[in-house]
């Protein structure tokens, strides 16, 4: 067992469960002498910046978060979700709880992924707020979170696959292509992606990522299924979110085919 200190989206239990992590117990905690930043740039530009912690020169600075007691097998899931060794490094911090001091694992941004111009999206910030409020963190800290300036996204049109006679894939045939990934009925080749996406080639490769993205919406309750996608039972917000990602995939990768869920 190990303690994990979540200060970003992993303060929210629904977000943590979507990554396959069901902690034994969770409690609020505070990391003193550090500050919260949003300067780790997301793999996809439209998602702005995501959470990071940095030591602060001001001793009064602190970061509130949620301390989770995790099973040993959860470490690999957290490493994958946090892009350990690529976007984030793993460190040990001393946090303060109502039971006293506790050593805990935490993730910090790697310098090559730091961009001081980044801001969080409203979607990402809403997930932090959900977790902070459910854990009854300090009201002043929650108010400061709520006032954080956010990344302004450009509206996108519904994604239209390119015309042409492209091959068709399903889950079995896609698995034979470790550098192909599927999203909402489209298949993309990641082999020519920029170096920042090297981690995603292993994480997304050979898989359909539609549910992965849907479960990261701020209003997800974790109940989304492949049947919802197969029968197009998507809300306008879910559809718009997938369209953002389809355009982002199309910018980063090469469109190579259609994907069927049957």
């Amino acid at each position: 067992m190990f303690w994990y200190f979540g200060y970003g989206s992993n303060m929210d239990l629904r977000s943590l469960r979507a990554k396959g992590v069901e902690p034994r117990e969770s409690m609020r905690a505070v990391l003193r002498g550090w500050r919260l930043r949003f300067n780790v740039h997301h793999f996809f530009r439209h998602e702005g910046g995501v959470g990071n912690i940095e030591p602060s020169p001001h001793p009064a600075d602190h970061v509130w978060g949620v301390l989770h007691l995790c099973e040993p097998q959860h470490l690999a899931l957290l490493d994958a979700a946090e892009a350990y060794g690529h976007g984030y490094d793993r460190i040990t911090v001393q946090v303060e709880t109502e039971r006293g001091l506790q050593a805990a694992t935490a993730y910090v941004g790697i310098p090559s992924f730091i961009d001081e111009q980044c801001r969080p999206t409203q979607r990402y910030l809403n997930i932090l707020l959900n977790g902070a409020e459910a854990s009854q963190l300090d009201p002043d800290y929650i108010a400061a979170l709520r006032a954080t300036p956010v990344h302004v996204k450009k509206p996108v049109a519904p994604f239209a696959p390119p015309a042409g006679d492209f091959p068709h894939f399903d889950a079995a045939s896609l698995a034979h292509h470790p550098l192909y990934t599927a999203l909402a009925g489209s298949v993309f080749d990641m082999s020519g992606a920029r170096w920042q996406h090297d981690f995603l080639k292993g994480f997304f490769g050979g898989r359909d990522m539609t549910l992965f993205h849907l479960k990261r919406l701020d209003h997800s309750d974790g109940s989304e299924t492949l049947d919802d996608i197969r029968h197009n039972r998507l809300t306008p917000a879910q559809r718009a979110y997938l369209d953002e990602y389809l355009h982002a995939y199309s910018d980063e990768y090469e469109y190579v085919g259609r994907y069927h869920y049957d």
Side-chain angles (χ1 to χ4, degrees):
M1 306 289 285
F2 68 99
W3 289 99
Y4 162 59
F5 180 64
Y7 55 83
S9 61
N10 287 340
M11 289 195 293
D12 180 60
L13 280 175
R14 286 173 298 188
S15 177
L16 197 57
R17 288 168 181 146
K19 297 162 186 166
V21 177
E22 181 67 57
R24 286 278 189 95
E25 63 174 301
S26 301
M27 69 183 81
R28 64 181 183 175
V30 63
L31 177 63
R32 300 197 182 279
W34 291 63
R35 59 181 178 175
L36 177 67
R37 307 295 306 281
F38 295 97
N39 58 1
V40 174
H41 70 75
H42 195 279
F43 290 104
F44 295 96
R45 295 180 176 92
H46 72 283
E47 290 282 27
V50 289
N52 189 23
I53 50 173
E54 296 176 347
S56 172
H58 307 293
D61 281 352
H62 58 277
V63 179
W64 276 97
V66 180
L67 190 63
H68 304 289
L69 182 59
C70 296
E71 308 278 357
Q73 64 269 25
H74 292 157
L75 186 60
L77 296 171
L78 289 168
D79 282 352
E82 303 305 318
Y84 167 57
H86 192 80
Y88 283 91
D89 199 359
R90 187 177 347 112
I91 63 170
T92 299
V93 294
Q94 291 284 335
V95 297
E96 186 178 310
T97 76
E98 291 169 359
R99 301 178 190 170
L101 289 176
Q102 178 64 56
T105 294
Y107 292 87
V108 294
I110 285 177
S112 61
F113 262 67
I114 300 294
D115 180 349
E116 300 296 350
Q117 305 304 312
C118 282
R119 291 180 173 182
T121 62
Q122 190 62 61
R123 174 198 68 82
Y124 181 74
L125 197 59
N126 286 345
I127 295 173
L128 267 68
L129 288 166
N130 289 340
E133 289 169 348
S135 300
Q136 300 181 322
L137 302 191
D138 178 74
D140 290 341
Y141 190 82
I142 293 176
L145 273 182
R146 187 170 284 110
T148 301
V150 297
H151 174 70
V152 178
K153 295 194 289 186
K154 297 177 182 176
V156 299
F159 178 76
D165 185 19
F166 288 93
H168 289 206
F169 297 86
D170 58 19
S173 59
L174 186 67
H176 292 295
H177 297 273
L179 289 178
Y180 285 9
T181 187
L183 177 67
S186 295
V187 178
F188 299 87
D189 179 359
M190 300 184 290
S191 58
R194 53 195 168 100
W195 69 267
Q196 289 93 341
H197 284 233
D198 286 349
F199 174 82
L200 294 185
K201 291 175 183 175
F203 193 55
F204 286 10
R207 302 172 57 198
D208 171 64
M209 301 307 297
T210 312
L211 271 181
F212 171 85
H213 290 305
L214 286 179
K215 289 180 182 293
R216 278 152 182 77
L217 267 174
D218 48 350
H219 59 269
S220 169
D221 61 4
S223 65
E224 301 84 357
T225 67
L226 283 178
D227 264 355
D228 295 331
I229 302 166
R230 184 179 292 115
H231 300 293
N232 199 27
R233 295 194 298 256
L234 301 177
T235 67
Q238 289 172 319
R239 187 71 253 176
Y241 190 57
L242 290 179
D243 278 324
E244 287 181 346
Y245 262 104
L246 283 164
H247 283 286
Y249 274 37
S250 185
D251 288 343
E252 300 283 357
Y253 314 138
E254 180 185 1
Y255 183 94
V256 292
R258 325 286 191 206
Y259 185 80
H260 293 283
Y261 293 92
D262 294 326

